[in-house]
């Protein structure tokens, strides 16, 4: 059965720290992996990754995919309190989009 | 451009009652999805519709039915609500591979 596993499930850091969030997947007919940030309501899109080894960056956030080892990481540098959220990864396999349980990140001042 | 419109935003039901959650998108997307989100469980796929006229079960379909009324609308029905269906429900639509999901604003459902 297809599955997406995120770790850690929760993380508490202080402002200025760098964090790495992990996402591993076992998905048949894998096509792409997506990262979302969820604060109070619906998830908002961060990145889509389809090719191994190509880093996607947006400000202090970056992400990379390893299709051989079946995982992706999301890095956040110089964290701010506004980065506090649930970070979700999802895999697309030609039919549906499956999500992991999410990592709850708390950034303390 | 409204995107994905989901109604209602909040609903309280008694055990055994039925209700339909409505979802409509105006982006001409082929694929639409219904997810539920429980604390610590991420988003779990209930049903999806890859195109108008087709629907398929996701990870947690029991207790739900769906209708893809046309390309715009995808509704989720609870025939006999149970407390285990207390959750936040999200509808999403998608153009297809290599595109991002667009989410509705969610429905907070409580079943007493």
């Amino acid at each position: 059965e297809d599955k997406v596993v995120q770790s850690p499930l929760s993380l508490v850091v202080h402002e200025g720290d760098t964090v790495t969030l992990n996402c591993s997947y076992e998905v048949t007919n894998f096509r792409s992996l997506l990262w979302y940030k969820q604060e109070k309501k619906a998830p908002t899109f961060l990145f889509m990754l389809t090719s191994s080894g190509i880093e996607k960056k947006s400000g202090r956030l970056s992400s990379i995919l390893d299709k051989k080892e079946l995982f992706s990481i999301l890095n956040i540098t110089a964290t701010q309190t506004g980065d506090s959220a649930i970070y979700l990864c999802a895999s697309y396999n030609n039919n549906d989009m499956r999500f992991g349980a999410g990592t709850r990140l708390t950034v303390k001042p | 451009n409204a995107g994905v419109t989901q109604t209602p935003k909040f609903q309280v039901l008694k055990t055994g009652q039925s209700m339909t959650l409505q979802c409509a998108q105006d982006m001409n997307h082929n694929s639409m999805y219904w997810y539920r989100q429980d604390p610590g469980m991420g988003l779990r796929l209930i049903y999806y519709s890859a195109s108008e006229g087709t629907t398929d079960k996701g990870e947690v379909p029991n207790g739900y039915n769906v209708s893809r009324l046309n390309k715009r609308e995808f509704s989720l029905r609870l025939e006999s609500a149970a407390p285990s269906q207390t959750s936040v429900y999200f509808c999403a639509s998608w153009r297809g591979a290599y595109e991002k999901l667009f989410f509705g604003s969610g429905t907070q459902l409580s079943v007493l």
Side-chain angles (χ1 to χ4, degrees):
Chain A
E1 185 178 318
D2 292 352
K3 61 180 179 180
V4 178
V5 178
Q6 291 186 246
S7 64
L9 293 181
S10 67
L11 188 57
V12 180
V13 301
H14 288 93
E15 273 192 315
D17 288 349
T18 293
V19 297
T20 297
L21 310 183
N22 303 294
C23 176
S24 65
Y25 61 92
E26 292 179 29
V27 174
T28 54
N29 299 315
F30 173 84
R31 298 285 294 275
S32 59
L33 188 133
L34 295 89
W35 284 97
Y36 287 83
K37 177 182 181 182
Q38 186 177 29
E39 295 174 269
K40 293 200 189 308
K41 288 199 171 179
T44 54
F45 174 77
L46 293 174
F47 298 112
M48 175 183 294
L49 303 153
T50 56
S51 301
S52 275
I54 299 175
E55 186 181 52
K56 295 266 182 108
K57 286 197 69 148
S58 177
R60 297 176 292 102
L61 278 66
S62 63
S63 185
I64 197 162
L65 176 68
D66 185 326
K67 290 170 77 171
K68 183 178 177 186
E69 300 297 329
L70 307 182
F71 76 91
S72 174
I73 59 172
L74 175 69
N75 279 320
I76 308 175
T77 59
T79 52
Q80 302 170 357
T81 55
D83 295 327
S84 295
I86 298 173
Y87 290 84
L88 298 161
C89 73
S91 71
Y92 168 60
N93 71 344
N94 254 4
N95 287 312
D96 59 59
M97 187 85 69
R98 299 287 176 110
F99 283 80
T103 294
R104 180 179 293 275
L105 175 65
T106 303
V107 182
K108 293 189 171 182
Chain B
N1 197 353
V4 180
T5 303
Q6 196 178 328
T7 57
K9 292 195 186 317
F10 301 95
Q11 184 71 51
V12 179
L13 294 176
K14 294 181 180 177
T15 298
Q17 287 185 316
S18 62
M19 79 160 295
T20 300
L21 280 65
Q22 307 286 353
C23 177
Q25 51 92 8
D26 61 3
M27 295 172 283
N28 203 36
H29 289 170
N30 287 321
S31 300
M32 298 185 74
Y33 300 82
W34 276 105
Y35 293 92
R36 62 177 286 174
Q37 186 172 32
D38 304 305
M41 298 294 287
L43 288 160
R44 291 187 292 169
L45 182 64
I46 306 171
Y47 271 92
Y48 66 98
S49 171
S51 61
E52 184 180 356
T54 68
T55 60
D56 286 284
K57 295 178 180 179
E59 302 167 79
V60 288
N62 292 343
Y64 305 95
N65 284 302
V66 290
S67 295
R68 184 73 183 267
L69 304 167
N70 47 54
K71 194 169 188 180
R72 288 188 67 246
E73 299 171 287
F74 187 39
S75 62
L76 178 73
R77 182 159 179 85
L78 287 71
E79 291 291 351
S80 179
S84 61
Q85 294 177 304
T86 293
S87 189
V88 179
Y89 291 83
F90 288 102
C91 175
S93 74
W94 193 29
R95 191 186 309 279
Y98 313 122
E99 299 279 343
K100 64 180 182 180
L101 277 176
F102 288 81
F103 283 91
S105 57
T107 297
Q108 176 81 55
L109 175 66
S110 296
V111 183
L112 306 178

